[in-house]
Amino acid sequence: MFADRARIYVRSGKGGDGHVSFRREKYVPNGGPDGGDGGRGGDVIFEVDEGLNTLIDFRHVRKYKAVDGEEGGKKNCRGKDGSDIVIKVPEGTVIKEAESGQVIVDMSGENRHVVLLKGGRGGNGNQHYATSTMQAPKYAQPGQPAKELELILELKVIADVGLVGFPNVGKSTFLSRVTNAKPKIANYHFTTLNPNLGVVDLEGTGGFVIADIPGLIEGASEGIGLGHEFLRHIERTKVIIHIVDAAGTEGRDPIADIYAINKELEAYNPEIAGRPQVIAANKIDAIYQDGTRDNEVYFGIRQYAECFELAMGNVDDVQLDDPNLGYRSCGLRNGYKYLFAEKTDEKMISDYFSSVSYPVVSFVWHGGEPTLRGLDFYKKAVEIQKKYAVEGVECWNNLQTNGLNLNEEWCAFLKENSFDVGVSIDGMKAIHDEYRHTANGEPTYDLIKKNIECLQSYGIQPDLLCTVSEEVANHAYSVYNNLKHFRNGWVQFIPIVNFIGEGEVSEESVKPESYGKFLCEMFKLWVTRGFPDFNIQLFMELLNVYMGGNASLCWLQETCGSALVVESDGGIYACDHFVNKEHYRGNIQNISLAQAINSEQQMAFGNAKRDALSERCHSCRYLRLCNGGCQKDRMQNKENFLCEGYLAFFEYSERAYLRIAELLKSGCPPYQVAEKLKKEKLL
């Protein structure tokens, strides 16, 4: 039996309590404390099992608990650690918090083994609390409590190509002909009741996977029919093959079918609807007229395929002839090919230039790892920019990269075309290598350092992007010294805030108090050792505000929404933090950037930063500095998760900022500012 959804309860182990006891030895009437520490509670771990393809087991067992740590014992004996519980799931399982629906982790790609809930730490025994004034402490620390969650498990099959279409159009027949899959085939509706997978084996390639889902009908996105249960299974696909009954054997209009299915895909997830799509006209032999295809169906389908190239033929003739599926180009024999990304880029660039009313257009290439597109892609992009360039308008490019793929050829191109470059490097080697490594698990710090030096040899001073986790926040001094060593351009600190529930964040997320302390320490180092040569973006932006100007960073401004995101499939979204269905603004192929940015939805999104502030924000004396912070970090009570950290920093830095602004306005040379502040002991 196939099941692709389940609800379960998980609980980590409680930490064992510390023990209270005292030594009892001969001739030692007043022995000291010897209570042992409690054991660690077991973790809740999710692990991918290649042998599983269904969630049916979770329909029978719904509660999963790790073992509690044991209490400490006498004679400094530590309690036994509780056993972890390892929960096996199929690849492609998405784990969500049941109440909020927020995704916690997607068990696909490199996520093969994930510690979802950490067990509680064991409490310290009374031996830890002896002092010179209290030699017989009768207190021991209790173990940390267990953590628990209600979870929703959703299985999304891992497939490269998804088959869609109305019931009984031939999807299963197609799957059986191009793969070794043996789906049930019959001439009636809803023969397919569960998703079917098939592997296309092609000589000289690794092959690829095709997913066939039960037939869609109108209203599927709203829960009508069977297809709505399985639409999630095509969310991971890179290419859609849309099979159409061109002969209308079911009494339906094939052209209307195409529009209807794509309407359902758009309603369910606009991103899916914008992916490269092949329309395969099945049963076309039934509409031949004198051996030709000169009929209204043929031309109707061709007309629909304005944005997607059409490949037509009988299902019996179908063969996928582009097995590489790189950035997914796909076609049928004797059909047409369409590389959607190239069309997207040209349309975006031409549209941008044609709509600007200001002297600079800026393209920021980021998201995932942009260098994976290859150098030829950016050479083509520069050619397109030159093709549509407007006299008097400057074109500016910025590449945000992890730095792994940079080499002499890349550096020469970036220099020649005046690209600004931002490189991700997380503070210091030990922390960076813990979180950033190759697919083979190799550390990356030394390689990135080498590639930064390569950029610098070409006269490019890259900006450094440092994510601030809880661990990074606790090493401000080392992080500062290491980043300053690179002699780079800007340093941008990006706090990690990953919500797993209302007001609750993931383990790697930085806590407000930690982030506030980090900013205070970093600010002191910057003023006393780095100003004005070492540019930390946040500090320079705030200085501009204190000088009477406005911050250019979007999250410091009163409103936002002026920086749209265009995905490689042409989808336009409100912001790079909100690439989801709710914030979809259309596709570049059928809506201009000007229309998207001036839409009511986008205006409302941008104004919400100001209009949805909490009462606490409205009464805060520092509102002009942060304007409530980034919307992505706001909780349901409208307050920013990092608010306490920002408040601590603003209070700490206010006097120094006011003095810096005063000195600069009076004409004091910037290099003398730090010396004056130190003498005046403002930090």
Side-chain angles (χ1 to χ4, degrees), residues 431-452:
I431 298 175
H432 179 98
D433 284 343
E434 183 179 352
Y435 295 101
R436 295 185 185 265
H437 40 74
T438 67
N440 297 324
E442 298 295 322
T444 61
Y445 181 89
D446 290 336
L447 176 59
I448 293 172
K449 181 175 181 291
K450 174 188 169 187
N451 291 342
I452 289 175

Side-chain angles (χ1 to χ4, degrees), residues 103-414:
V103 175
I104 301 175
V105 64
D106 185 347
M107 300 299 292
S108 61
E110 295 183 359
N111 289 335
R112 319 295 292 183
H113 181 95
V114 175
V115 179
L116 193 79
L117 295 178
K118 295 284 290 185
R121 290 197 303 269
N124 292 328
N126 69 330
Q127 61 174 307
H128 294 278
Y129 301 100
T131 66
S132 59
T133 57
M134 186 174 65
Q135 299 181 8
K138 297 181 180 180
Y139 167 80
Q141 185 184 36
Q144 285 187 333
K147 298 179 181 178
E148 58 184 11
L149 276 176
E150 287 276 348
L151 301 176
I152 297 292
L153 307 183
E154 286 186 352
L155 177 59
K156 299 180 182 180
V157 299
I158 307 295
D160 299 292
V161 179
L163 300 182
V164 301
F166 271 87
N168 205 32
V169 297
K171 299 188 301 296
S172 297
T173 300
F174 174 89
L175 188 70
S176 71
R177 297 300 297 267
V178 301
T179 74
N180 292 323
K182 304 298 181 186
K184 183 179 180 182
I185 300 172
N187 188 29
Y188 57 82
H189 290 184
F190 301 116
T191 309
T192 303
L193 299 177
N194 298 313
N196 291 310
L197 297 180
V199 178
V200 179
D201 293 318
L202 293 174
E203 188 176 349
T205 74
F208 55 92
V209 179
I210 299 180
D212 170 28
I213 68 168
L216 303 177
I217 62 175
E218 290 186 81
S221 61
E222 299 175 358
I224 300 175
L226 294 178
H228 78 284
E229 293 288 340
F230 304 107
L231 276 167
R232 71 176 71 96
H233 294 299
I234 59 172
E235 288 189 26
R236 303 184 190 274
T237 60
K238 280 69 176 183
V239 176
I240 300 285
I241 296 182
H242 186 167
I243 296 182
V244 183
D245 178 3
T249 60
E250 298 290 325
R252 296 189 308 270
D253 181 353
I255 309 303
D257 283 1
I258 295 173
Y259 281 93
I261 292 297
N262 279 279
K263 181 181 178 182
E264 295 304 323
L265 295 178
E266 178 82 17
Y268 177 75
N269 188 337
E271 187 181 351
I272 296 176
R275 288 176 188 164
Q277 184 178 130
V278 173
I279 301 176
N282 189 25
K283 307 181 184 181
I284 203 167
D285 54 326
I287 57 172
Y288 281 173
Q289 298 178 0
D290 300 324
T292 71
R293 299 183 181 185
D294 187 14
N295 56 73
E296 62 181 28
V297 174
Y298 176 79
F299 289 109
I301 296 176
R302 286 296 304 268
Q303 184 179 10
Y304 175 82
E306 179 179 355
C307 296
F308 300 102
E309 293 282 352
L310 173 66
M312 301 185 63
N314 193 306
V315 170
D316 293 341
D317 297 329
V318 168
Q319 125 180 350
L320 289 174
D321 63 3
D322 188 356
N324 296 318
L325 295 177
Y327 180 83
R328 302 296 201 186
S329 161
C330 178
L332 303 177
R333 185 167 56 207
N334 300 321
Y336 303 87
K337 295 187 179 183
Y338 183 56
L339 190 57
F340 194 80
E342 290 184 5
K343 298 242 182 213
T344 295
D345 294 334
E346 181 154 6
K347 181 67 166 63
M348 176 192 68
I349 292 170
S350 64
D351 186 71
Y352 196 0
F353 274 108
S354 65
S355 61
V356 296
S357 58
Y358 32 86
V360 178
V361 297
S362 58
F363 296 88
V364 181
W365 307 93
H366 78 133
E369 174 46 43
T371 59
L372 292 176
R373 296 297 305 273
L375 189 54
D376 287 343
F377 170 82
Y378 294 96
K379 290 179 179 178
K380 180 67 175 178
V382 170
E383 289 178 11
I384 297 172
Q385 289 173 346
K386 292 177 180 178
K387 175 181 176 182
Y388 292 101
V390 177
E391 187 177 355
V393 176
E394 182 184 353
C395 182
W396 176 77
N397 286 285
N398 182 288
L399 181 73
Q400 307 275 351
T401 173
N402 61 24
L404 290 178
N405 295 321
L406 297 178
N407 54 29
E408 295 279 346
E409 187 180 7
W410 270 99
C411 292
F413 167 80
L414 295 170

